[in-house]
Amino acid sequence: MRRVILLSLLAIAACTPAPKGPSGYRDPSRMIASAALFDPGRFAGQWNTVAAFGGDASCGRLTEEWTAGASGYAIKGTTCNGGKLYSFTTDGKLTGPGRIVRGEHGKPVELWVLWVDADYRIAAIGTPDGSIGRIMSRDPVPRTDLFTAAREILDFNGYDIRQLRQMQ
């Protein structure tokens, strides 16, 4: 009788669809948090994307200039889409501590600053759904210890850092 019950349970389990994997590059079941002590004024300035997930990493280093305004930023720089480098200009609106809605590949996206070091030299940026994740640095070649810390923050927030690509 136990064998029949076990076989029945196995047959039912075989018909159940496999659980869906994580969306994007992070496990959505993991907690994620933006930087509570984020200072919008200190975040303004030039940033270099030095590591990213997916297609964002296929064009080499990208740069962005963030100019602080009354409710957020004016942002201009370069982005990668479909393996091609493009220039862009967009606005970034602050929606909470370390949370900025901006245009990203033609659609609005809420980027979260997950962590920025005390001197605003490097930052780990991502989205709750994991569709975007990157490390941005003031220096095109960041200090190794700061880069390692940013990678660890992405990992802590559920990103699969095996898929993170450092940009050359």
Side-chain angles (χ1 to χ4, degrees), residues 128-164:
D129 69 0
S131 60
I132 295 171
R134 54 183 71 125
I135 298 174
M136 297 173 69
S137 171
R138 302 286 189 184
D139 188 340
V141 181
R143 280 185 16 196
T144 303
D145 61 327
L146 294 174
F147 184 82
T148 299
R151 270 179 56 99
E152 290 173 358
I153 293 296
L154 287 171
D155 183 44
F156 179 80
N157 281 277
Y159 279 86
D160 180 0
I161 59 171
R162 296 171 300 179
Q163 297 185 60
L164 183 67

Short mmCIF file of all heavy atoms in Angstrom, two decimals, residues 128-164:
data_model
loop_
_atom_site.label_atom_id
_atom_site.label_comp_id
_atom_site.label_asym_id
_atom_site.label_seq_id
_atom_site.Cartn_x
_atom_site.Cartn_y
_atom_site.Cartn_z
N PRO A 128 14.86 45.80 -8.07
CA PRO A 128 14.29 44.71 -7.28
C PRO A 128 14.00 43.45 -8.10
O PRO A 128 14.15 42.34 -7.60
CB PRO A 128 13.00 45.31 -6.72
CG PRO A 128 13.30 46.76 -6.62
CD PRO A 128 14.13 47.05 -7.84
N ASP A 129 13.62 43.61 -9.38
CA ASP A 129 13.34 42.42 -10.19
C ASP A 129 14.61 41.78 -10.74
O ASP A 129 14.56 40.72 -11.36
CB ASP A 129 12.37 42.74 -11.33
CG ASP A 129 12.94 43.65 -12.41
OD1 ASP A 129 14.12 44.06 -12.31
OD2 ASP A 129 12.20 43.95 -13.36
N GLY A 130 15.76 42.43 -10.55
CA GLY A 130 17.02 41.85 -10.98
C GLY A 130 17.31 42.00 -12.46
O GLY A 130 18.28 41.44 -12.96
N SER A 131 16.51 42.77 -13.18
CA SER A 131 16.75 42.94 -14.61
C SER A 131 18.00 43.78 -14.88
O SER A 131 18.59 43.67 -15.95
CB SER A 131 15.53 43.57 -15.29
OG SER A 131 15.26 44.85 -14.74
N ILE A 132 18.38 44.60 -13.91
CA ILE A 132 19.57 45.44 -14.05
C ILE A 132 20.39 45.31 -12.78
O ILE A 132 19.85 45.31 -11.67
CB ILE A 132 19.18 46.92 -14.27
CG1 ILE A 132 18.45 47.07 -15.60
CG2 ILE A 132 20.40 47.83 -14.20
CD1 ILE A 132 17.84 48.44 -15.82
N GLY A 133 21.67 45.23 -12.95
CA GLY A 133 22.61 45.25 -11.83
C GLY A 133 23.95 45.71 -12.37
O GLY A 133 24.37 45.27 -13.45
N ARG A 134 24.58 46.63 -11.66
CA ARG A 134 25.86 47.12 -12.15
C ARG A 134 26.67 47.71 -11.01
O ARG A 134 26.13 48.05 -9.96
CB ARG A 134 25.68 48.13 -13.27
CG ARG A 134 24.78 49.30 -12.99
CD ARG A 134 24.60 50.23 -14.19
NE ARG A 134 23.79 49.64 -15.23
CZ ARG A 134 22.69 50.18 -15.74
NH1 ARG A 134 22.28 51.35 -15.30
NH2 ARG A 134 22.02 49.59 -16.68
N ILE A 135 27.95 47.83 -11.26
CA ILE A 135 28.86 48.53 -10.35
C ILE A 135 29.33 49.76 -11.08
O ILE A 135 29.81 49.68 -12.22
CB ILE A 135 30.04 47.64 -9.94
CG1 ILE A 135 29.54 46.40 -9.18
CG2 ILE A 135 31.04 48.43 -9.10
CD1 ILE A 135 30.61 45.38 -8.85
N MET A 136 29.16 50.91 -10.43
CA MET A 136 29.58 52.18 -11.01
C MET A 136 30.66 52.79 -10.13
O MET A 136 30.58 52.71 -8.91
CB MET A 136 28.37 53.11 -11.14
CG MET A 136 27.32 52.55 -12.09
SD MET A 136 25.79 53.49 -12.14
CE MET A 136 26.34 54.98 -12.93
N SER A 137 31.65 53.38 -10.79
CA SER A 137 32.80 53.93 -10.08
C SER A 137 33.16 55.30 -10.64
O SER A 137 33.00 55.55 -11.84
CB SER A 137 33.99 52.97 -10.24
OG SER A 137 35.18 53.54 -9.75
N ARG A 138 33.65 56.17 -9.79
CA ARG A 138 34.15 57.47 -10.27
C ARG A 138 35.39 57.25 -11.13
O ARG A 138 35.59 57.93 -12.12
CB ARG A 138 34.50 58.38 -9.10
CG ARG A 138 33.36 58.66 -8.16
CD ARG A 138 32.36 59.60 -8.73
NE ARG A 138 31.40 59.98 -7.68
CZ ARG A 138 30.37 60.73 -7.88
NH1 ARG A 138 30.12 61.20 -9.07
NH2 ARG A 138 29.55 61.02 -6.90
N ASP A 139 36.22 56.32 -10.72
CA ASP A 139 37.46 56.01 -11.43
C ASP A 139 37.18 54.88 -12.43
O ASP A 139 36.61 53.87 -12.06
CB ASP A 139 38.51 55.56 -10.40
CG ASP A 139 39.90 55.38 -10.97
OD1 ASP A 139 40.04 55.24 -12.20
OD2 ASP A 139 40.85 55.38 -10.18
N PRO A 140 37.60 55.02 -13.69
CA PRO A 140 37.37 53.95 -14.66
C PRO A 140 38.03 52.62 -14.26
O PRO A 140 37.60 51.56 -14.71
CB PRO A 140 37.96 54.48 -15.96
CG PRO A 140 38.19 55.93 -15.77
CD PRO A 140 38.23 56.18 -14.29
N VAL A 141 39.05 52.71 -13.43
CA VAL A 141 39.69 51.50 -12.90
C VAL A 141 39.60 51.59 -11.38
O VAL A 141 40.46 52.20 -10.72
CB VAL A 141 41.16 51.38 -13.37
CG1 VAL A 141 41.79 50.12 -12.83
CG2 VAL A 141 41.26 51.45 -14.88
N PRO A 142 38.54 51.01 -10.80
CA PRO A 142 38.33 51.18 -9.35
C PRO A 142 39.35 50.42 -8.51
O PRO A 142 39.96 49.46 -8.97
CB PRO A 142 36.93 50.60 -9.14
CG PRO A 142 36.77 49.62 -10.24
CD PRO A 142 37.53 50.17 -11.41
N ARG A 143 39.49 50.89 -7.28
CA ARG A 143 40.34 50.16 -6.33
C ARG A 143 39.78 48.76 -6.14
O ARG A 143 38.55 48.57 -6.08
CB ARG A 143 40.35 50.88 -4.97
CG ARG A 143 41.26 52.03 -4.93
CD ARG A 143 41.37 52.69 -3.57
NE ARG A 143 40.88 51.94 -2.43
CZ ARG A 143 40.63 52.50 -1.24
NH1 ARG A 143 40.80 53.79 -1.07
NH2 ARG A 143 40.20 51.76 -0.24
N THR A 144 40.64 47.79 -6.04
CA THR A 144 40.24 46.39 -5.92
C THR A 144 39.36 46.14 -4.69
O THR A 144 38.36 45.43 -4.77
CB THR A 144 41.48 45.47 -5.88
OG1 THR A 144 42.25 45.72 -7.06
CG2 THR A 144 41.11 44.02 -5.83
N ASP A 145 39.72 46.73 -3.55
CA ASP A 145 38.94 46.50 -2.34
C ASP A 145 37.53 47.07 -2.47
O ASP A 145 36.56 46.45 -2.02
CB ASP A 145 39.65 47.05 -1.10
CG ASP A 145 39.90 48.55 -1.15
OD1 ASP A 145 40.11 49.10 -2.26
OD2 ASP A 145 39.89 49.18 -0.07
N LEU A 146 37.39 48.23 -3.10
CA LEU A 146 36.07 48.82 -3.29
C LEU A 146 35.23 48.01 -4.28
O LEU A 146 34.03 47.79 -4.07
CB LEU A 146 36.19 50.27 -3.76
CG LEU A 146 36.82 51.25 -2.77
CD1 LEU A 146 37.01 52.62 -3.43
CD2 LEU A 146 35.98 51.36 -1.52
N PHE A 147 35.88 47.54 -5.34
CA PHE A 147 35.18 46.71 -6.32
C PHE A 147 34.69 45.41 -5.67
O PHE A 147 33.55 45.00 -5.86
CB PHE A 147 36.09 46.40 -7.52
CG PHE A 147 35.41 45.63 -8.60
CD1 PHE A 147 34.63 46.28 -9.54
CD2 PHE A 147 35.54 44.25 -8.68
CE1 PHE A 147 33.98 45.57 -10.54
CE2 PHE A 147 34.90 43.53 -9.67
CZ PHE A 147 34.11 44.20 -10.61
N THR A 148 35.55 44.80 -4.86
CA THR A 148 35.17 43.56 -4.16
C THR A 148 33.99 43.82 -3.22
O THR A 148 33.05 43.01 -3.16
CB THR A 148 36.38 43.01 -3.38
OG1 THR A 148 37.41 42.71 -4.33
CG2 THR A 148 36.02 41.75 -2.60
N ALA A 149 34.01 44.93 -2.51
CA ALA A 149 32.89 45.26 -1.60
C ALA A 149 31.60 45.43 -2.39
O ALA A 149 30.54 44.93 -1.97
CB ALA A 149 33.22 46.53 -0.82
N ALA A 150 31.64 46.10 -3.53
CA ALA A 150 30.43 46.29 -4.35
C ALA A 150 29.91 44.95 -4.87
O ALA A 150 28.70 44.71 -4.88
CB ALA A 150 30.73 47.24 -5.51
N ARG A 151 30.81 44.06 -5.28
CA ARG A 151 30.40 42.71 -5.71
C ARG A 151 29.70 41.97 -4.57
O ARG A 151 28.69 41.31 -4.78
CB ARG A 151 31.63 41.88 -6.13
CG ARG A 151 32.02 41.97 -7.56
CD ARG A 151 33.28 41.12 -7.82
NE ARG A 151 33.09 39.73 -7.42
CZ ARG A 151 32.79 38.75 -8.26
NH1 ARG A 151 32.63 38.99 -9.52
NH2 ARG A 151 32.65 37.52 -7.82
N GLU A 152 30.26 42.08 -3.37
CA GLU A 152 29.67 41.40 -2.21
C GLU A 152 28.29 41.96 -1.89
O GLU A 152 27.40 41.21 -1.48
CB GLU A 152 30.61 41.52 -1.02
CG GLU A 152 31.86 40.67 -1.19
CD GLU A 152 32.91 40.88 -0.10
OE1 GLU A 152 32.70 41.73 0.80
OE2 GLU A 152 33.95 40.20 -0.17
N ILE A 153 28.08 43.24 -2.11
CA ILE A 153 26.75 43.84 -1.88
C ILE A 153 25.75 43.28 -2.88
O ILE A 153 24.62 42.94 -2.52
CB ILE A 153 26.82 45.38 -1.96
CG1 ILE A 153 27.63 45.95 -0.80
CG2 ILE A 153 25.43 45.99 -2.03
CD1 ILE A 153 27.05 45.71 0.58
N LEU A 154 26.13 43.17 -4.15
CA LEU A 154 25.24 42.58 -5.15
C LEU A 154 24.90 41.14 -4.75
O LEU A 154 23.74 40.73 -4.81
CB LEU A 154 25.87 42.62 -6.54
CG LEU A 154 25.92 44.00 -7.19
CD1 LEU A 154 26.78 43.96 -8.46
CD2 LEU A 154 24.54 44.54 -7.49
N ASP A 155 25.90 40.39 -4.32
CA ASP A 155 25.69 39.01 -3.89
C ASP A 155 24.74 38.96 -2.70
O ASP A 155 23.78 38.18 -2.67
CB ASP A 155 27.04 38.37 -3.54
CG ASP A 155 26.93 36.91 -3.15
OD1 ASP A 155 26.19 36.16 -3.82
OD2 ASP A 155 27.59 36.52 -2.17
N PHE A 156 24.96 39.82 -1.71
CA PHE A 156 24.13 39.87 -0.51
C PHE A 156 22.67 40.17 -0.86
O PHE A 156 21.75 39.68 -0.23
CB PHE A 156 24.67 40.94 0.45
CG PHE A 156 23.86 41.09 1.70
CD1 PHE A 156 24.02 40.21 2.76
CD2 PHE A 156 22.93 42.13 1.83
CE1 PHE A 156 23.26 40.35 3.92
CE2 PHE A 156 22.18 42.27 2.98
CZ PHE A 156 22.34 41.38 4.03
N ASN A 157 22.46 40.98 -1.90
CA ASN A 157 21.11 41.36 -2.33
C ASN A 157 20.51 40.37 -3.32
O ASN A 157 19.50 40.68 -3.96
CB ASN A 157 21.11 42.78 -2.90
CG ASN A 157 21.12 43.82 -1.81
OD1 ASN A 157 20.08 44.16 -1.27
ND2 ASN A 157 22.29 44.32 -1.47
N GLY A 158 21.10 39.19 -3.45
CA GLY A 158 20.51 38.12 -4.23
C GLY A 158 20.95 38.01 -5.67
O GLY A 158 20.43 37.18 -6.42
N TYR A 159 21.89 38.84 -6.11
CA TYR A 159 22.37 38.76 -7.49
C TYR A 159 23.28 37.55 -7.66
O TYR A 159 24.05 37.20 -6.77
CB TYR A 159 23.12 40.03 -7.88
CG TYR A 159 22.19 41.15 -8.28
CD1 TYR A 159 21.65 41.99 -7.32
CD2 TYR A 159 21.84 41.34 -9.61
CE1 TYR A 159 20.78 43.00 -7.69
CE2 TYR A 159 20.98 42.35 -9.97
CZ TYR A 159 20.45 43.18 -9.01
OH TYR A 159 19.59 44.17 -9.38
N ASP A 160 23.20 36.94 -8.83
CA ASP A 160 24.08 35.83 -9.19
C ASP A 160 25.36 36.43 -9.76
O ASP A 160 25.47 36.67 -10.97
CB ASP A 160 23.39 34.93 -10.22
CG ASP A 160 24.26 33.75 -10.64
OD1 ASP A 160 25.40 33.62 -10.13
OD2 ASP A 160 23.80 32.97 -11.49
N ILE A 161 26.33 36.69 -8.90
CA ILE A 161 27.53 37.40 -9.33
C ILE A 161 28.41 36.58 -10.27
O ILE A 161 29.33 37.12 -10.87
CB ILE A 161 28.35 37.94 -8.14
CG1 ILE A 161 28.79 36.83 -7.21
CG2 ILE A 161 27.56 39.02 -7.40
CD1 ILE A 161 29.77 37.28 -6.16
N ARG A 162 28.07 35.30 -10.45
CA ARG A 162 28.80 34.53 -11.47
C ARG A 162 28.51 35.08 -12.87
O ARG A 162 29.29 34.88 -13.78
CB ARG A 162 28.41 33.04 -11.42
CG ARG A 162 28.79 32.34 -10.12
CD ARG A 162 28.20 30.98 -10.05
NE ARG A 162 26.72 31.14 -10.13
CZ ARG A 162 25.87 30.13 -10.12
NH1 ARG A 162 26.29 28.90 -10.06
NH2 ARG A 162 24.57 30.34 -10.17
N GLN A 163 27.39 35.80 -13.00
CA GLN A 163 27.02 36.38 -14.29
C GLN A 163 27.46 37.84 -14.45
O GLN A 163 27.27 38.43 -15.50
CB GLN A 163 25.50 36.30 -14.49
CG GLN A 163 24.99 34.87 -14.52
CD GLN A 163 23.52 34.83 -14.82
OE1 GLN A 163 23.09 35.29 -15.87
NE2 GLN A 163 22.73 34.30 -13.88
N LEU A 164 28.07 38.40 -13.41
CA LEU A 164 28.56 39.78 -13.46
C LEU A 164 29.82 39.83 -14.32
O LEU A 164 30.73 39.02 -14.14
CB LEU A 164 28.88 40.27 -12.04
CG LEU A 164 29.34 41.72 -11.90
CD1 LEU A 164 28.21 42.67 -12.25
CD2 LEU A 164 29.83 41.96 -10.48
#
